[in-house]
Amino acid sequence: MIRVATPADLDAIMLIERRSFPTDAWSAELMAAELSSPHGRYLVDVEPVAGSASPGVAEVVVGYGGVRALRGSADGDIQTIALDAAHRGSGRGRALLRALLAEAAERGAREVFLEVRADNPVAQGLYVSEGFAEIGRRAGYYQPDDVDAVIMRLDLRARAARGPASAAANVQDGRTNAGSEGDPAGSVLQNDSNPADVKGSDD
């Protein structure tokens, strides 16, 4: 299940962050600032702890994602998406991406941008399948790995006109059911660790 992230999720998010981005993970302080920023929305994908009688009471965070979209602004940026390794390839990254796009659209964004590592063609394929198109590259953007960033853009209005079911159709009271649709990537998206930059994506 996907729900809005809270400050109480910080430790669980940072555990996945450090595992997913060992060379350029964000600091806990920077992530905390992102979670509390009014200029975007962070979501977490959670599942109940095995043996718990009350789902939602005892749960574990298995993924997270964030989008920066100022209310009334024409554009937004996918900041980051990451899943615990054991849950990649199951459609949960696609569900998180769609939920973030729904958040951007609700805030008034008409287009969304992201960056994805040039050495992650599987992630690029996921984004293309959701309507993103490459519009440029940034040489050596991902450091210290010296990997180029592929800049991608999605026209939200054109996507809505095409009519594929989006996460917005499943969102109720800030929650989204993580669908079972195939996620060919394992959902790890990130930009770089410079606080002046946003996290983009290598899903």
Side-chain angles (χ1 to χ4, degrees):
M1 177 181 289
I2 295 174
R3 62 166 173 78
V4 175
T6 73
D9 297 313
L10 179 62
D11 288 346
I13 288 172
M14 288 307 302
L15 184 62
I16 299 172
E17 171 79 6
R18 292 177 180 126
R19 289 174 176 171
S20 300
F21 311 114
T23 62
D24 60 353
W26 280 4
S27 68
E29 292 77 15
L30 180 56
M31 186 66 76
E34 286 288 305
L35 292 177
S36 63
S37 172
H39 303 308
R41 177 60 61 88
Y42 272 70
L43 305 174
V44 287
D45 187 353
V46 300
E47 58 183 33
V49 173
S52 173
S54 303
V57 174
E59 60 186 19
V60 60
V61 173
V62 300
Y64 64 91
V67 61
R68 178 166 294 177
L70 278 67
R71 289 199 178 276
S73 176
D75 58 72
D77 293 279
I78 299 295
Q79 301 287 77
T80 185
I81 298 178
L83 282 177
D84 185 79
H87 296 85
R88 296 176 189 168
S90 62
R92 299 178 91 145
R94 186 181 298 274
L96 270 169
L97 176 61
R98 289 182 172 184
L100 295 172
L101 294 176
E103 290 284 349
E106 188 276 330
R107 287 167 174 256
R110 297 191 294 272
E111 55 185 6
V112 175
F113 298 86
L114 60 77
E115 285 97 18
V116 57
R117 290 174 65 110
D119 61 358
N120 194 342
V122 176
Q124 293 171 46
L126 171 64
Y127 304 138
V128 168
S129 74
E130 289 295 319
F132 282 88
E134 179 178 342
I135 60 170
R137 297 208 172 204
R138 291 178 177 164
Y141 186 71
Y142 292 97
Q143 296 296 332
D145 302 322
D146 199 32
V147 173
D148 293 353
V150 178
I151 305 167
M152 305 188 84
R153 172 186 170 275
L154 170 67
D155 184 327
L156 285 172
R157 292 171 299 180
R159 182 175 187 270
R162 287 193 300 271
S166 71
N170 293 326
V171 173
Q172 296 180 5
D173 302 322
R175 292 177 179 259
T176 304
N177 293 326
S180 59
E181 210 168 326
D183 178 0
S187 296
V188 180
L189 341 141
Q190 188 206 26
N191 225 334
D192 90 13
S193 56
N194 185 337
D197 295 318
V198 297
K199 279 190 164 185
S201 35
D202 25 51
D203 187 24

